[in-house]
Amino acid sequence: MDFLNKLNPAQKRAVTAGDGPVLVLAGPGSGKTRVLTQRIAYLIGYQGVRPYQMLAVTFTNKAAREMEQRVQNLLGEEMTRGLFLGTFHAICARILRREAEKLPVSGEFVIFDADDQQSVVKNAIKELNLNDKLYRPVAIHAAISRAKNELILPDEFPVVTYRDETVKRIYKRYQEMLQLSNGVDFDDLLLLTASLLAEHADVREKYAQRFRHVLVDEFQDTNMAQYTLLKYLASAHRNIFCVGDEDQSVYRWRGADYRNVQRFEQDFPGAQVVLLEQNYRSRQTILDAAMSVINRATHRRKKSLFTERGSGEKVTFYQAADDYGEASFVVDTIAQLVASKQFEPGECAVMYRTNSMSRLLEEAFLQARLPYRLVGAQRFYGRREIKDVIAYLRLVQNPEDEISLGRVINVPPRGLGEKTVQTLMLTARTAHNSAGQVLLDLARGSNSPFWQQFPARAALPLADFGAKLAAWRGLLETYTVPELFDRIVADTGYLAHLDDGTEEGKERLENVEELHRLADEYRTRTLAEFLENVALVSDQDTLSEGNVPTLLTMHAAKGLEFGAVFIVGLDDGILPHSRSFDEPEEMEEERRLFYVGITRAKERLFLVRAMRRGGRGYAEETDESRFLADIPAELISGKQRGSKRRSSSSAYETWKLPSPGRPAPLLEQKFRAGMRVRHPLWNEGIVLDSRIQDGDEIVDVAFVSVGIKRLSASLANLTLLG
């Protein structure tokens, strides 16, 4: 057991800390998981603590398995047998089953999953004779979940408005229905355990005495219920060891409260605080850029991240003329980095604030015929809300499209059950017609020969939908694509259907807005052309596994690392998000999110924005993210402060390659217009133009495979073909 000799001084201080509360504030890439697992091994192997006297908690099953495996690798399976290790929810479930006689449910309780929970909420709303359009089940469940995470029971639910009073009633009925089913939801696992320990001193004392040491991973992501649990469980011995970093707390919308880090020092006075500041991931320039951003955050303990990996290259800033140029720059630069053997494709990642930003990036990868992997989300054209809107537009263009009709006939809900849809299809088949044409005919009401085939409760909504469809088709000749788009979502109430008050609902709305931006580009073209373009893009299999670049949100990037990181959308309103402008706490979290994104980069960091955004022809001008001004100019290549830098030609004119560290030699042009060249990825092409710019030769090449590309000759690895 010589693992202590491999730790740096700060890590060793944390691992070998004496009894009492310990708070380890671990900067990104500082080896926090290593410290936590080796603390467990140290207590067992060096201090003689029995495994069953220890409780180690984390947030995901994957992290728990990894932690357990690491400890076993250090000590062997036999020495770790009996260790109480797992997620908060799993450990709470074990405690509740053991103490079931003190609970409102029996020890055989079932845990309702997300779908089950939604069903119970819907039934509670129905039982209370409430309008589920005013009280959306998803939004109501989110409110109940927030209350439980704050340890608020139904009778204690705060009431300020009439809606609050109604939510309180639903919450109370929801809990009653769960208990009648001998069930609990995920939040109950935390709430019931905290309540159990608060109300039963004997139970609290039993577990507090049993666990001589309590160890916690990702402490900055705990909510109030989890923090309260930890306090109870550590109340006897006060040996609580928490590893986290308030600078990486970016899950406020899930209930995470970075202030728990501050509460720890208040509730455990005299706690040892250890800072892990040595970074093993990133170059110093990247760390300096990250620290310049996070040092402006308030209510945090200041850290100074350092590395022994050297300074590395400057951060590259690129300002595109528009959002298409932004996406093209990213894809072309990745292609050049790969072609020049600087990085493998899988070492490159593109990060953005919201999933809606993936559309143009996905299309740019497709155009370049390069595979990619999308993490944490469905590809843009595969997202439910995108498919819904496209199905409506397809149905307007072609009422014979029964696939599209089947998709949206009851979206948003019109009270049409599966039996009604089957009757519609059977009626159409009998009449040797399409279901869409029958629907259009039903718009005539009782004058339709199909009217009698349906009961009144089904015929009326079918007729209403048929009338809307007929009206939309009547607008095909006079309405532009975006006008028709707007009319459909307004007539159907589709946006209100998506806007359920949850983060997921907001993200779905942003995806529809992104599709609308594409529709804006078809103001002078037909709906058929728009749908054809969408079909050609969405039909391709764009998702790949293996050695390919990764596209993901910065939230999804937490805990990951990549050789080269591109952060796009660095405009005010995107990062920071517009929803944070009037909320100081939200703005602080946006800053932390940017910090998390920066610190994912190991070797190269590219910060990218667009001067105009929203499509070709109707784009709006943007302001650069206020966070960019926090990064010192000497760390960045290509940035001009306080300038929007209008560009009438290519966005590449604003990009400067990283400085080589010594004066660059005068270059001679190697390429001339008309030369035939070969690229490692795009094969043969013809040089259209070449010039010396910013210490490099910039070459415009027309490739047969992907069209015109502007390349840096030093990176592109072009071969002359004679």
Side-chain angles (χ1 to χ4, degrees), residues 566-580:
F566 295 75
I567 300 179
V568 302
L570 286 171
D571 311 331
D572 252 21
I574 296 179
L575 184 68
H577 199 285
S578 57
R579 292 196 296 267
S580 69

Side-chain angles (χ1 to χ4, degrees), residues 323-334:
D323 40 8
Y324 280 86
E326 177 183 57
S328 294
F329 166 78
V330 169
V331 174
D332 291 352
T333 305
I334 289 176

Side-chain angles (χ1 to χ4, degrees), residues 55-61 63-65 67 83-91 94 215:
L55 169 66
V57 291
T58 187
F59 278 83
T60 66
N61 290 317
R65 287 193 298 269
M67 193 186 304
L83 178 65
F84 224 77
L85 187 154
T87 65
F88 276 96
H89 292 94
I91 286 168
R94 290 169 68 180
L215 304 100

Side-chain angles (χ1 to χ4, degrees), residues 99-119:
E99 309 296 335
E101 70 276 3
K102 298 180 176 67
L103 301 177
V105 291
S106 75
E108 290 74 39
F109 64 79
V110 293
I111 301 172
F112 281 33
D113 64 19
D115 289 339
D116 296 333
Q117 293 166 36
Q118 289 296 319
S119 297

